[in-house]
Amino acid sequence: MGLTVPPELEAVSAAFDFAGEVVACEPFGGGHINDSFRLTCRAPEGTTGYLLQRINARVFRAPARVMENIQRVTEHVARRLAVAGIADLTRRTLTLTATKAGAAFHRAADGACWRAYRFIERTRVHALVETPAQAEQAGRAFGEFQRLLADLPPPRLHETIADFHNTPARFEAFDRACAADVCQRVRRATAEIEFARQHRPLADVLLDLQRRGAIPERVVHNDAKITNVLLDEDSGEALCIVDLDTVMPGLSLYDFGDMVWSMTCPAPEDETDLARVEVQPSLFAALARGYVSAAGAFLTAAERAHLVTAGELITLEQGVRFLTDYVAGDTYYKTRHPEHNLERCRAQFKLLQSLQRQEHALSRIVADCAKASPS
Ligand code: GN1
Ligand code: MG
């Protein structure tokens, strides 16, 4: 697309209070849900980059609530960082750009909702974690994100997607998709369906702990994967957590679980060579060290005790969600070919097996982190 701005985006970008004229526009990022574009605006004072995003209305049914959450969360984090004396605030947290009418998002003529952030320059997003240093940085960044939001004043944030990490509810949706079998794909996924059913008891563990009052509700990110951390291009330091649509009440362990599937194996989530899908203890150790170094101050003993279980549970949930979407005919995630969701599911299930095989070693790593960062 390069330097030309498609007519559809021209009208949308005209609604925002951008500094100058839009001179470039290109699709950006690899999210499965929203559509993102990087814009460059030119004014006599210089150029400014923005990230313009169309919020997926099928997934986020109440965009105004999503944006209310994001406004509160970004403003709170910015205030906290300012109080802590952090200088480069606009690189450390997302900054919304309002519409010319002063709103946090724009509803286009076709009903689609759009928002814009200042683009954070000179950063890198890693599709995969390749070094322990990256895992440690990302773990620390998500731990800090949770810590900064621990004193978000009431009211409770909106639940932008109900039951998002309710794994038993995800299994119910999976059962419904299998029963309906709208694409006759069940027969192509019998081994994976069987695997999911065998592992179902794991689905209840975290919600049971919460129901018993053993682990608390917190404000968490809920999509704590490696592609949602911006690292400084030069130093490799984790700067900013992005993709805030699902920041809402949840469990700290949901974020740790998402970090485990996305950061402890240097293969993509849709890797088809399953021999490459193995948890690397060195990446797990770095991740746990980074996370506990930032979150250790508020984590309870029960939360710490379930870090490995959370990794297994969220990896299972992730696989079940991909499998559900495969069986339902690819209506949720963007896919590149008909088997894509099934391939993603297989990689997650392989990762779960790898986690389970190494459970004792990983638990020892967590225990060592606890000694290094006592609560
Ligand atoms: C989706 O859009 P993206 O890629 O940030 C999904 C996450 C999944 C993830 C798997 C709202 O996130 O829950 O873990 O894909 N987000 C939503 O890569 O469903
Ligand atoms: Mg996301």
Side-chain angles (χ1 to χ4, degrees):
M1 213 179 292
L3 284 173
T4 48
V5 180
E8 177 204 29
L9 291 190
E10 227 171 86
V12 169
S13 56
F16 285 89
D17 195 14
F18 293 142
E21 179 202 352
V22 182
V23 292
C25 169
E26 52 191 338
F28 186 84
H32 298 338
I33 311 286
N34 296 323
D35 297 311
S36 305
F37 302 87
R38 178 186 179 156
L39 303 188
T40 307
C41 294
R42 190 172 296 146
E45 308 77 55
T47 58
T48 315
Y50 296 94
L51 186 74
L52 183 64
Q53 289 185 310
R54 176 175 28 220
I55 306 171
N56 184 324
R58 227 176 356 91
V59 171
F60 297 102
R61 300 297 172 91
R65 288 169 154 241
V66 171
M67 294 312 296
E68 201 182 306
N69 279 2
I70 292 180
Q71 240 175 334
R72 288 181 57 203
V73 162
T74 50
E75 284 168 12
H76 184 80
V77 169
R79 256 194 310 274
R80 279 282 160 274
L81 292 174
V83 169
I86 304 290
D88 53 351
L89 271 187
T90 53
R91 287 172 64 68
R92 301 270 171 182
T93 179
L94 285 173
T95 309
L96 281 167
T97 297
T99 68
K100 287 177 179 154
F105 69 97
H106 167 68
R107 201 179 284 274
D110 63 358
C113 290
W114 294 79
R115 65 163 168 245
Y117 293 110
R118 288 289 293 266
F119 195 88
I120 305 182
E121 307 287 348
R122 289 174 291 112
T123 63
R124 193 159 284 168
V125 173
H126 292 277
L128 299 174
V129 168
E130 272 147 3
T131 66
Q134 291 164 355
E136 184 162 357
Q137 283 293 324
R140 182 186 52 71
F142 276 112
E144 245 163 52
F145 185 78
Q146 291 180 346
R147 188 173 57 78
L148 290 167
L149 288 169
D151 63 350
L152 182 78
R156 191 172 181 264
L157 290 175
H158 301 297
E159 286 188 45
T160 55
I161 300 179
D163 288 331
F164 190 60
H165 277 298
N166 182 332
T167 318
R170 296 286 185 184
F171 266 94
E172 282 158 28
F174 163 67
D175 285 341
R176 284 194 298 275
C178 291
D181 195 13
V182 290
C183 304
Q184 277 89 57
R185 283 181 168 180
V186 161
R187 66 192 159 83
R188 304 170 71 98
T190 47
E192 292 75 16
I193 291 170
E194 175 60 22
F195 181 97
R197 295 202 165 129
Q198 270 168 9
H199 287 80
R200 193 176 193 130
L202 181 57
D204 298 303
V205 176
L206 293 186
L207 280 177
D208 280 353
L209 285 166
Q210 187 186 10
R211 261 186 232 112
R212 295 206 311 267
I215 51 177
E217 178 178 286
R218 302 185 185 280
V219 175
V220 303
H221 185 277
N222 285 304
D223 189 10
K225 59 182 187 178
I226 186 61
T227 47
N228 288 333
V229 189
L230 307 185
L231 303 172
D232 185 86
E233 197 171 80
D234 301 319
S235 67
E237 185 197 355
L239 284 180
C240 184
I241 297 296
V242 301
D243 188 4
L244 307 177
D245 295 314
T246 52
V247 178
M248 58 177 156
L251 303 178
S252 62
L253 291 169
Y254 294 156
D255 285 355
F256 192 76
D258 268 325
M259 288 190 262
V260 169
W261 72 256
S262 70
M263 300 184 198
T264 65
C265 168
E269 79 181 12
D270 56 357
E271 175 64 63
T272 51
D273 178 1
L274 296 182
R276 297 190 58 223
V277 182
E278 285 291 349
V279 173
Q280 310 279 315
S282 60
L283 293 179
F284 181 89
L287 168 66
R289 199 164 51 238
Y291 177 66
V292 171
S293 74
F298 64 79
L299 290 180
T300 65
E303 286 173 299
R304 284 166 183 261
H306 289 88
L307 290 170
V308 177
T309 309
E312 294 173 356
L313 188 147
I314 298 297
T315 304
L316 171 67
E317 178 187 283
Q318 189 70 31
V320 168
R321 289 178 63 194
F322 288 140
L323 185 53
T324 303
D325 201 35
Y326 174 73
V327 172
D330 309 323
T331 61
Y332 188 86
Y333 295 109
K334 292 179 190 169
T335 49
R336 284 195 298 274
H337 56 88
E339 303 284 287
H340 205 171
N341 272 316
L342 187 58
E343 289 171 2
R344 289 167 171 154
C345 158
R346 287 184 182 133
Q348 298 309 307
F349 286 174
K350 172 66 199 297
L351 199 69
L352 172 57
Q353 288 176 311
S354 178
L355 282 164
Q356 289 181 325
R357 256 200 313 272
Q358 301 187 65
E359 202 174 78
H360 292 297
L362 302 179
S363 300
R364 265 200 309 277
I365 289 171
V366 167
D368 289 345
C369 285
K371 276 181 229 143
S373 299
S375 47

